[in-house]
Amino acid sequence: MHVGVLTGGGDCPGLNAVIRAVTKSLINDCGARVTGIERGFLGLIERRVVALDRRAVSGILHQGGTILGAHNKADPFAWFGAGGADVSGAVMDYVRELGLDALVAIGGDGTMSIAHRFQQLGLPVVGVPKTIDNDLMHTERTFGFDSAVAVVAEALARLETTARSHGRVMIVETMGRYAGWIALEGGLAGGADVILLPEIPYDLEAVATLCRKREAAQGFTLICVAEGARPVGGAMTVAAHMADSPDPIRLGGVGNVLREQLQPHLQGEVRSTLLGHVQRGGTPTPYDRVLATRFGCHAAAMVARGEFGRMVVLRGDGCDSVPLAEVAGRTRTVPLGHPLLKAARSLGISLGETRA
Amino acid sequence: MHVGVLTGGGDCPGLNAVIRAVTKSLINDCGARVTGIERGFLGLIERRVVALDRRAVSGILHQGGTILGAHNKADPFAWFGAGGADVSGAVMDYVRELGLDALVAIGGDGTMSIAHRFQQLGLPVVGVPKTIDNDLMHTERTFGFDSAVAVVAEALARLETTARSHGRVMIVETMGRYAGWIALEGGLAGGADVILLPEIPYDLEAVATLCRKREAAQGFTLICVAEGARPVGGAMTVAAHMADSPDPIRLGGVGNVLREQLQPHLQGEVRSTLLGHVQRGGTPTPYDRVLATRFGCHAAAMVARGEFGRMVVLRGDGCDSVPLAEVAGRTRTVPLGHPLLKAARSLGISLGETRA
Amino acid sequence: MHVGVLTGGGDCPGLNAVIRAVTKSLINDCGARVTGIERGFLGLIERRVVALDRRAVSGILHQGGTILGAHNKADPFAWFGAGGADVSGAVMDYVRELGLDALVAIGGDGTMSIAHRFQQLGLPVVGVPKTIDNDLMHTERTFGFDSAVAVVAEALARLETTARSHGRVMIVETMGRYAGWIALEGGLAGGADVILLPEIPYDLEAVATLCRKREAAQGFTLICVAEGARPVGGAMTVAAHMADSPDPIRLGGVGNVLREQLQPHLQGEVRSTLLGHVQRGGTPTPYDRVLATRFGCHAAAMVARGEFGRMVVLRGDGCDSVPLAEVAGRTRTVPLGHPLLKAARSLGISLGETRA
Amino acid sequence: MHVGVLTGGGDCPGLNAVIRAVTKSLINDCGARVTGIERGFLGLIERRVVALDRRAVSGILHQGGTILGAHNKADPFAWFGAGGADVSGAVMDYVRELGLDALVAIGGDGTMSIAHRFQQLGLPVVGVPKTIDNDLMHTERTFGFDSAVAVVAEALARLETTARSHGRVMIVETMGRYAGWIALEGGLAGGADVILLPEIPYDLEAVATLCRKREAAQGFTLICVAEGARPVGGAMTVAAHMADSPDPIRLGGVGNVLREQLQPHLQGEVRSTLLGHVQRGGTPTPYDRVLATRFGCHAAAMVARGEFGRMVVLRGDGCDSVPLAEVAGRTRTVPLGHPLLKAARSLGISLGETRA
């Protein structure tokens, strides 16, 4: 049996752990031949592959990134390199030339959609979910998320010492454009006093009031805000701030907007930090190494069983799978009744909600 | 409402996060008065308590240990301080004097057994499980475990660089007298080539053969062994090594025994490291901070609902509870069919099993 | 003997280690009474002090921030609280009321200037230098610097994995408005390919050329830039970018300017990260804990010897002191002939210099 | 020019950083050809070499261990592989065959001695010191030491939380058979209450008294002891404990001896941890990456200048060199008047000295 492996989309701690687990498992359990496809689907378009054996995946468990490389925008069904043309036919020809019996596609939403279409074209595919945002349907947790949460918690811990001793409001802006999982768990783990999510529009007055109260009492406030968080009704407010800059990173995002909104209400200084890509790279946490390894081993087992057209998921304490058709294009946001939100409120953490 | 909180048994990263969550939740949600009992049940015997308010639990989320202190052997039903006498009556008198309406007992197996007996004496109790070994029935994961696994994985990563460049066999002995969870997940996260658990007696010859093979091929081997691991049939073998030393720590435990067993079979040096108590202390990982916080908030909610005589557990992605009667004295070892064992074998990791 | 201790200026890992060392040494060696002054010189203006004994400084060695608090702008000689009035007389009255025989002032350039003036008013002062920028005259290294460098190196390591696997140019903007020490050592420790300092105006074309070369060869580039770095001749260039935003943090600083300057020259994406205040807070590295402890013990010894009007410095492997008069208002920038610059060039790292 | 590079002796964080710096500097500054010799001098005996170019040393800055491998006992002047014969002639033949113009030898005392003898045989040699013990003459600091100190400090910090909350005496045994630098700086950085060094025989009664005092007052004690520490007059005492075990690691070393000596004097439990090889491996700290890089660049510059027969050293804030003849066989122990010892005493830390 000859199996191809590729990694698509943005970076995520644990990709190499999956590649290692898939490769070793296929070799040990099926005596399969494994071929790595370089830079995601781009490798199938540009015909760039590399052989994967035990030695090739030795010692990469702890490494961030992906030894295969990845590419964000390479869609064979709309290849901008060919002016948006559909080059999937040429890709299938190459797949046949390589003699691939199956493909393990490790990636996010976009990768799964493309993988699903190749499955329909007759290429047996197993998907492995990849999202640090932990916002994929049908799976409780994805590798990379724990690592991102750890980076956020560490940053909050560092900023807290300064906030405490210098009487400041410290804002940390995390990833999470549509789902607030990273800000929520990162904020809880880092001891944030305010956590703002895309799922709950924040009441600026409520946040400002809490910061004033804390300035008088504890003397400082830690705010953890997801990049997708928005004020009540007022996407406009942000839009206004965005006006002079179409690029949120250039502006510094909602964290800096919030800083400008809060400063006038407070005596102490308000400072904002945008964590950005440090949340996406680097060595995965031990938890993510184990989870990524499990996903990889399960994907290999699915290939061995001929369980194709499906994606690995985590259910309870075990791995399972769901049809690729069911995952594409759907995001798992934080349900308003989620126990972590309840826990946050019990701890006295403000979610930016208007006080009744 | 007046609620007491105590921490019993050995140290475990996350205890302070639970104390903080229980206290803040009870104050914010029930307007309860919270009293900390010092050094576990010893505080109820020696009448040593401290008031807990928001300020008292502020900034302890990241701290290892427990601000209340703990005690390993203080059992009011057999108090060695009183020559094994039952002082539970005096304890109940003190509880009535304090006017405690309920007790939140955070601890392991022993603490839950004692808590259960006080529940039967009429003191409403909610239990919060504490075990870095992750070997408690009915709950998939307990706080402290992820932190212990991280310490093991970090140690293996440090030793691997030396093993690789100096052609050595490096052995890491982890905690786990009866259950091998720490060695299993720590070994997987740390890239161990051999993982030995109490649940699977190891075949010395099989381990030695693999080390010889790897010495010829990769040049080094990483072994992760739980303190409770034993050779096939041969508790004797260890006993023999133990003979001149009744104290396993003094001998250095099974790791050093294994070192002496393997060295004669190999050319390169075999070195063993006993991690010991560094696995039990220190700052909890962000994952454990979140889990401990959730356990604490759920325990407070149980008190508010009058859901007594039960212990918090993690089921799937949510918290639940089970009767204290069902947990006492039962250990959750690694099932021989567990997916992590299957994954380990697929990766080519030896579990010390005899090759058929 | 009665000694006051205060911490002034911005946050810096190691402040608590100094407070602990000063307090314990004065108590153990001189049987002195030690009083902590809250929030820097503000505490002498607002008459807020706290007694310091062994218990008060126990367990703070690892803590970031300062248990005494600090204040950036409290200058008794120009107290904005009093409309820029000189309240130094009232401060001296308070000092006499407290019965302080000496003051240990821990802080940066501004704090040393104020301390120097109080020395001239008759208050015996010993200064302890505090700057994460490591830009103080007469001392080779200051505590906090190693911790800041570690944060930069860790961020670069995380970003490198993404840069490698996704073929990107990753920019990290560090602290260092006038001196480039943090960017220089952080960049060297983090494996940066380009390091831009305030001391060496960068030639955009040279940087772009190197990025293009590396894009073709290695596929990625890591850039470490100090916030004070500026293009050759072209403060204007930046000014232009600054035009729509008087606030450099809002704009994201030179890192984002550089990103916009480089992107047009490259195919791969260019991303910028602004580390900001995470460099200033958090647990000090072991190196900084030892250095801060040594500074504190040496300051106490100077008090005991009556060696006043001077500031602790590190010379070779030992502590020494220099007159406060000699430090004020002078910054130690990176000398153009410094061995670290030579080392960087030998490694093939670009300093943004124009190729001859 | 053709230059050979080898790493000898035990593992030490930073070796790869030196290899990378030497290689890149020689290529960039001298257009030299660089050849790596595998497993120290063993590679010259067994004729195993590998070409080193920019790609070969790319991305190894953070890696622990050495990509060239190392060997502890390979001495060409007394090659046990040849029954203790002198094979240096054959080695020189091989050196001439390779056409090596110079050799950069990275290693400890033993490696420097051998390097010195080859220099005398006509092979131009530059030495780079390697010792985590920081016990080399003529150089204030060596790479690897800061990393070892960080591991010790981290272990002490983890154990302190347990010691505090469980009222224990926690002992950490560090490396340092003849010099106590690691125990001294690690103990200071980790907040140890007792630090025992090979240079100062400890008075058991003095240590026990302090532990008893602290048990009554603070409730716990942290002890950091170097493996080479010995009780006053009583190497015998240890010898007695050693009697039943010639192998110190098997016994667990002085830490466990001390545990058995102290336990009878105390109520709380005494626990001992032997850190062992985790101090020698793993990613170097940023400080060590910079120092190792500087050593490597300076060694390359010495080769370029023809400055042979000498070893790189750190003096003040700059690199310098000393004749190989002057370093061999001499150990830099902690001088009894060293400021760090004075600092420790001022902090109230016991060095095991008898109270007058």
Side-chain angles (χ1 to χ4, degrees):
Chain A
M1 182 164 55
H2 185 186
V3 184
V5 181
L6 65 77
T7 50
D11 198 10
C12 181
L15 286 170
N16 282 327
V18 179
I19 295 169
R20 170 178 175 267
V22 168
T23 304
K24 286 190 166 187
S25 298
L26 284 171
I27 292 172
N28 294 331
D29 295 348
C30 318
R33 176 177 158 214
V34 185
T35 292
I37 293 146
E38 296 184 349
R39 307 207 63 192
F41 286 103
L42 188 62
L44 288 178
I45 296 172
E46 298 182 344
R47 299 180 162 233
R48 296 212 317 249
V49 297
V50 55
L52 291 180
D53 57 10
R54 287 193 190 84
R55 184 165 301 279
V57 298
S58 168
I60 68 174
L61 173 62
H62 305 76
Q63 284 176 26
T66 159
I67 58 169
L68 296 177
H71 196 285
N72 289 352
K73 314 190 192 64
D75 179 355
F77 295 94
W79 174 226
F80 62 83
D86 181 339
V87 298
S88 57
V91 164
M92 286 302 289
D93 293 341
Y94 183 51
V95 166
R96 277 183 285 270
E97 285 177 40
L98 288 171
L100 293 186
D101 303 302
L103 173 71
V104 175
I106 309 159
D109 199 50
T111 303
M112 291 305 130
S113 307
I114 298 170
H116 181 45
R117 295 186 65 175
F118 276 111
Q119 170 77 31
Q120 291 169 318
L121 290 183
L123 171 61
V125 177
V126 167
V128 177
K130 177 230 68 163
T131 157
I132 64 164
D133 293 324
N134 203 36
D135 61 353
L136 221 76
M137 296 299 289
H138 306 294
T139 184
E140 285 164 4
R141 251 175 144 73
T142 48
F143 62 87
F145 174 65
D146 189 62
S147 303
V149 166
V151 170
V152 172
E154 164 73 7
L156 282 166
R158 288 198 160 276
L159 294 169
E160 176 176 9
T161 66
T162 304
R164 260 184 204 279
S165 46
H166 288 67
R168 295 214 177 119
V169 172
M170 289 288 196
I171 303 170
V172 169
E173 178 178 333
T174 74
M175 286 191 163
R177 209 169 282 265
Y178 308 108
W181 296 108
I182 292 178
L184 181 53
E185 292 213 12
L188 282 168
D193 307 300
V194 179
I195 299 176
L196 305 179
L197 314 173
E199 293 86 350
I200 305 176
Y202 65 86
D203 174 344
L204 180 62
E205 193 39 57
V207 177
T209 306
L210 180 122
C211 292
R212 270 196 305 271
K213 264 206 206 118
R214 287 189 54 92
E215 189 167 54
Q218 294 87 339
F220 74 99
T221 305
L222 276 183
I223 301 179
C224 185
V225 53
E227 63 180 319
R230 295 290 174 256
V232 174
M236 278 83 68
T237 321
V238 180
H241 285 276
M242 302 291 233
D244 64 326
S245 161
D247 171 356
I249 288 184
R250 169 140 176 264
L251 176 67
V254 63
N256 283 330
V257 172
L258 191 60
R259 179 170 66 90
E260 295 175 16
Q261 293 173 324
L262 289 176
Q263 187 65 82
H265 300 269
L266 300 159
Q267 291 182 358
E269 295 176 16
V270 183
R271 298 293 177 86
S272 173
T273 299
L274 176 68
L275 290 180
H277 290 76
V278 289
Q279 297 165 87
R280 281 198 165 288
T283 301
T285 58
Y287 179 95
D288 277 337
R289 278 178 242 154
V290 173
L291 183 56
T293 298
R294 292 183 65 174
F295 275 17
C297 290
H298 193 79
M302 286 168 67
V303 170
R305 283 197 301 271
E307 189 178 328
F308 296 115
R310 302 177 67 85
M311 182 188 79
V312 180
V313 295
L314 185 70
R315 286 254 177 84
D317 205 25
C319 285
D320 196 350
S321 76
V322 297
L324 284 167
E326 289 181 18
V327 277
R330 296 169 58 188
T331 299
R332 187 176 68 99
T333 55
V334 181
L336 294 186
H338 195 281
L340 282 176
L341 295 178
K342 225 183 131 307
R345 293 190 194 96
S346 297
L347 292 169
I349 295 170
S350 165
L351 299 170
E353 298 159 305
T354 312
R355 289 290 156 81
Chain B
M1 181 164 54
H2 185 186
V3 184
V5 181
L6 65 77
T7 51
D11 198 11
C12 180
L15 286 170
N16 281 328
V18 178
I19 294 169
R20 170 178 174 267
V22 168
T23 303
K24 286 189 167 187
S25 299
L26 285 171
I27 293 172
N28 294 331
D29 296 347
C30 317
R33 176 177 158 214
V34 185
T35 292
I37 293 146
E38 297 185 347
R39 308 207 62 191
F41 287 103
L42 188 62
L44 288 178
I45 297 172
E46 297 182 346
R47 300 180 161 234
R48 297 212 318 247
V49 298
V50 56
L52 291 179
D53 56 10
R54 288 194 189 84
R55 184 164 300 279
V57 298
S58 167
I60 68 174
L61 173 62
H62 305 77
Q63 284 176 25
T66 158
I67 58 169
L68 295 178
H71 196 284
N72 290 353
K73 313 188 193 67
D75 179 356
F77 295 95
W79 174 226
F80 62 84
D86 182 339
V87 297
S88 57
V91 164
M92 286 303 287
D93 293 340
Y94 183 50
V95 166
R96 277 183 286 270
E97 285 176 40
L98 288 171
L100 293 185
D101 303 302
L103 173 70
V104 174
I106 308 159
D109 198 49
T111 302
M112 291 305 131
S113 306
I114 297 171
H116 181 46
R117 295 186 65 176
F118 275 111
Q119 170 76 30
Q120 291 169 318
L121 290 183
L123 171 61
V125 178
V126 166
V128 177
K130 177 230 67 164
T131 156
I132 64 164
D133 293 323
N134 203 37
D135 62 353
L136 221 76
M137 295 301 287
H138 306 293
T139 184
E140 284 164 3
R141 251 175 144 74
T142 47
F143 63 86
F145 174 65
D146 189 63
S147 303
V149 165
V151 169
V152 172
E154 164 73 6
L156 282 166
R158 288 199 159 275
L159 293 169
E160 176 176 8
T161 65
T162 304
R164 260 183 205 278
S165 46
H166 288 66
R168 295 217 178 118
V169 172
M170 289 289 195
I171 303 170
V172 169
E173 177 178 332
T174 74
M175 286 191 165
R177 209 169 281 266
Y178 309 108
W181 297 108
I182 292 178
L184 180 54
E185 292 213 12
L188 282 167
D193 307 299
V194 179
I195 299 177
L196 306 178
L197 315 173
E199 294 86 348
I200 305 176
Y202 65 85
D203 174 343
L204 180 62
E205 193 40 57
V207 176
T209 306
L210 180 122
C211 292
R212 270 195 306 271
K213 264 206 206 116
R214 287 189 54 92
E215 188 166 56
Q218 294 87 339
F220 73 100
T221 305
L222 276 184
I223 301 179
C224 185
V225 53
E227 63 180 318
R230 295 288 175 259
V232 174
M236 278 82 69
T237 322
V238 179
H241 285 276
M242 302 291 233
D244 63 326
S245 160
D247 172 356
I249 289 185
R250 172 145 174 260
L251 175 67
V254 63
N256 283 330
V257 171
L258 192 59
R259 180 169 66 89
E260 294 175 16
Q261 292 173 324
L262 288 175
Q263 187 65 84
H265 301 268
L266 301 158
Q267 292 181 357
E269 294 177 17
V270 182
R271 297 294 177 86
S272 172
T273 299
L274 176 67
L275 290 180
H277 289 76
V278 289
Q279 296 165 87
R280 281 198 165 287
T283 302
T285 58
Y287 179 95
D288 278 337
R289 277 179 243 154
V290 173
L291 183 56
T293 297
R294 292 183 64 174
F295 275 17
C297 291
H298 194 78
M302 286 169 67
V303 171
R305 283 196 301 271
E307 188 178 328
F308 295 115
R310 302 176 68 85
M311 183 188 78
V312 179
V313 296
L314 185 70
R315 287 253 178 84
D317 205 25
C319 284
D320 195 351
S321 76
V322 296
L324 283 167
E326 288 182 18
V327 277
R330 296 169 58 188
T331 300
R332 187 177 70 99
T333 56
V334 181
L336 294 186
H338 195 281
L340 281 177
L341 295 178
K342 223 183 132 308
R345 293 190 194 96
S346 297
L347 292 169
I349 295 171
S350 165
L351 299 170
E353 297 159 305
T354 312
R355 289 289 156 81
Chain C
M1 182 164 53
H2 186 188
V3 183
V5 181
L6 65 78
T7 51
D11 198 10
C12 179
L15 286 169
N16 282 328
V18 179
I19 295 169
R20 170 179 175 267
V22 168
T23 304
K24 286 190 166 186
S25 299
L26 285 171
I27 293 173
N28 294 331
D29 296 346
C30 318
R33 175 176 159 216
V34 184
T35 293
I37 293 145
E38 296 185 348
R39 309 207 61 192
F41 287 103
L42 187 62
L44 288 178
I45 297 171
E46 297 182 345
R47 300 181 160 231
R48 297 211 318 246
V49 298
V50 56
L52 292 180
D53 57 10
R54 288 194 189 84
R55 184 164 300 279
V57 298
S58 167
I60 67 173
L61 174 62
H62 305 76
Q63 284 176 26
T66 159
I67 58 169
L68 295 178
H71 196 283
N72 289 352
K73 314 189 194 63
D75 179 355
F77 295 93
W79 174 226
F80 62 83
D86 181 339
V87 298
S88 55
V91 164
M92 286 303 287
D93 292 341
Y94 182 51
V95 167
R96 276 183 286 270
E97 284 177 42
L98 288 172
L100 293 185
D101 302 302
L103 173 71
V104 174
I106 309 160
D109 197 49
T111 303
M112 291 306 130
S113 306
I114 298 170
H116 181 45
R117 295 185 64 175
F118 276 112
Q119 170 76 31
Q120 290 169 319
L121 290 183
L123 171 61
V125 178
V126 167
V128 177
K130 178 231 65 160
T131 158
I132 64 164
D133 293 323
N134 203 38
D135 61 354
L136 221 76
M137 295 302 286
H138 306 293
T139 183
E140 285 164 3
R141 250 175 143 75
T142 48
F143 63 87
F145 174 65
D146 190 62
S147 302
V149 166
V151 169
V152 172
E154 164 73 8
L156 283 166
R158 289 198 159 274
L159 294 169
E160 175 175 9
T161 67
T162 304
R164 259 182 206 280
S165 46
H166 287 67
R168 296 216 178 119
V169 172
M170 289 289 194
I171 303 170
V172 169
E173 178 178 332
T174 74
M175 287 192 164
R177 211 169 279 267
Y178 309 108
W181 295 107
I182 292 177
L184 180 54
E185 291 212 12
L188 282 167
D193 307 300
V194 180
I195 299 177
L196 305 179
L197 314 174
E199 293 86 348
I200 305 176
Y202 64 87
D203 174 344
L204 180 62
E205 193 40 57
V207 176
T209 306
L210 180 122
C211 292
R212 270 196 306 270
K213 264 204 207 123
R214 287 189 54 92
E215 189 167 55
Q218 294 87 338
F220 73 100
T221 305
L222 277 184
I223 301 178
C224 186
V225 53
E227 63 181 318
R230 295 290 175 256
V232 175
M236 279 82 71
T237 322
V238 179
H241 284 276
M242 301 292 233
D244 64 327
S245 161
D247 172 357
I249 287 183
R250 171 143 175 262
L251 175 67
V254 63
N256 283 329
V257 171
L258 191 60
R259 180 170 65 89
E260 295 174 16
Q261 293 172 323
L262 288 176
Q263 187 64 82
H265 301 268
L266 300 158
Q267 292 181 358
E269 295 177 17
V270 183
R271 297 295 177 86
S272 172
T273 299
L274 176 67
L275 290 180
H277 291 75
V278 290
Q279 296 165 88
R280 282 198 164 289
T283 302
T285 58
Y287 179 95
D288 278 337
R289 277 178 243 155
V290 173
L291 183 56
T293 297
R294 291 182 65 174
F295 275 17
C297 291
H298 193 78
M302 286 167 67
V303 171
R305 282 195 301 269
E307 188 179 328
F308 296 114
R310 303 176 67 86
M311 182 188 80
V312 180
V313 296
L314 185 69
R315 287 254 177 85
D317 205 24
C319 285
D320 196 349
S321 75
V322 296
L324 282 168
E326 288 182 19
V327 278
R330 296 169 59 188
T331 300
R332 187 177 68 100
T333 56
V334 181
L336 294 186
H338 195 281
L340 282 176
L341 295 179
K342 225 183 130 307
R345 293 189 194 96
S346 296
L347 292 169
I349 295 172
S350 165
L351 299 171
E353 297 158 305
T354 312
R355 289 290 154 80
Chain D
M1 182 164 53
H2 186 186
V3 183
V5 181
L6 65 78
T7 50
D11 198 11
C12 179
L15 285 170
N16 282 328
V18 179
I19 295 169
R20 170 180 175 268
V22 168
T23 303
K24 287 190 165 186
S25 299
L26 284 170
I27 293 174
N28 293 332
D29 296 347
C30 318
R33 176 178 158 213
V34 184
T35 292
I37 292 146
E38 296 185 347
R39 310 206 61 193
F41 287 103
L42 188 63
L44 288 178
I45 296 171
E46 297 182 346
R47 300 180 160 232
R48 298 212 316 249
V49 298
V50 55
L52 291 179
D53 56 11
R54 288 193 189 83
R55 183 164 302 278
V57 298
S58 168
I60 67 172
L61 174 62
H62 306 74
Q63 284 176 27
T66 159
I67 58 169
L68 296 177
H71 196 285
N72 291 352
K73 315 189 193 64
D75 179 355
F77 295 94
W79 175 226
F80 63 82
D86 182 339
V87 298
S88 57
V91 164
M92 286 303 288
D93 292 341
Y94 183 50
V95 166
R96 276 183 286 269
E97 284 177 41
L98 288 172
L100 293 186
D101 302 302
L103 174 70
V104 174
I106 309 159
D109 199 49
T111 303
M112 291 305 130
S113 306
I114 297 170
H116 181 46
R117 295 185 64 174
F118 276 112
Q119 170 76 31
Q120 291 169 317
L121 289 182
L123 171 61
V125 178
V126 167
V128 178
K130 177 230 66 164
T131 158
I132 64 164
D133 293 322
N134 203 37
D135 62 353
L136 220 76
M137 295 301 287
H138 305 294
T139 183
E140 285 164 3
R141 250 175 143 75
T142 48
F143 63 87
F145 173 66
D146 189 63
S147 302
V149 166
V151 169
V152 172
E154 163 72 7
L156 282 166
R158 289 199 159 275
L159 294 170
E160 176 176 9
T161 67
T162 304
R164 259 182 206 280
S165 46
H166 287 67
R168 296 217 178 115
V169 172
M170 289 288 196
I171 303 169
V172 169
E173 178 179 333
T174 74
M175 287 190 164
R177 211 169 280 268
Y178 309 108
W181 296 108
I182 292 178
L184 180 53
E185 291 212 12
L188 282 167
D193 308 300
V194 180
I195 299 177
L196 306 179
L197 315 174
E199 293 86 348
I200 305 176
Y202 64 86
D203 173 344
L204 180 62
E205 194 39 59
V207 177
T209 306
L210 180 123
C211 291
R212 270 196 305 272
K213 263 205 208 122
R214 287 189 55 91
E215 189 167 55
Q218 294 87 338
F220 74 101
T221 304
L222 277 183
I223 301 178
C224 185
V225 53
E227 63 180 316
R230 295 290 176 256
V232 174
M236 277 82 72
T237 322
V238 179
H241 284 276
M242 301 293 233
D244 64 327
S245 162
D247 172 355
I249 287 184
R250 170 141 176 265
L251 175 67
V254 63
N256 283 329
V257 171
L258 192 60
R259 179 170 65 89
E260 296 175 15
Q261 293 173 323
L262 288 176
Q263 188 64 84
H265 301 269
L266 300 159
Q267 292 181 358
E269 295 176 17
V270 183
R271 298 293 176 87
S272 172
T273 298
L274 176 67
L275 291 180
H277 290 75
V278 289
Q279 297 164 88
R280 282 197 164 289
T283 302
T285 58
Y287 179 96
D288 277 337
R289 277 178 243 154
V290 173
L291 183 56
T293 297
R294 291 183 66 174
F295 275 17
C297 292
H298 194 79
M302 286 167 67
V303 170
R305 283 195 301 270
E307 188 179 330
F308 296 115
R310 303 176 67 86
M311 183 187 79
V312 180
V313 296
L314 185 70
R315 287 254 176 84
D317 205 24
C319 284
D320 196 349
S321 76
V322 295
L324 283 168
E326 288 182 20
V327 277
R330 296 170 58 187
T331 300
R332 187 176 68 101
T333 56
V334 181
L336 294 187
H338 195 281
L340 282 176
L341 296 179
K342 223 181 133 308
R345 293 189 193 98
S346 296
L347 292 168
I349 295 171
S350 165
L351 300 171
E353 297 158 305
T354 312
R355 290 290 157 82

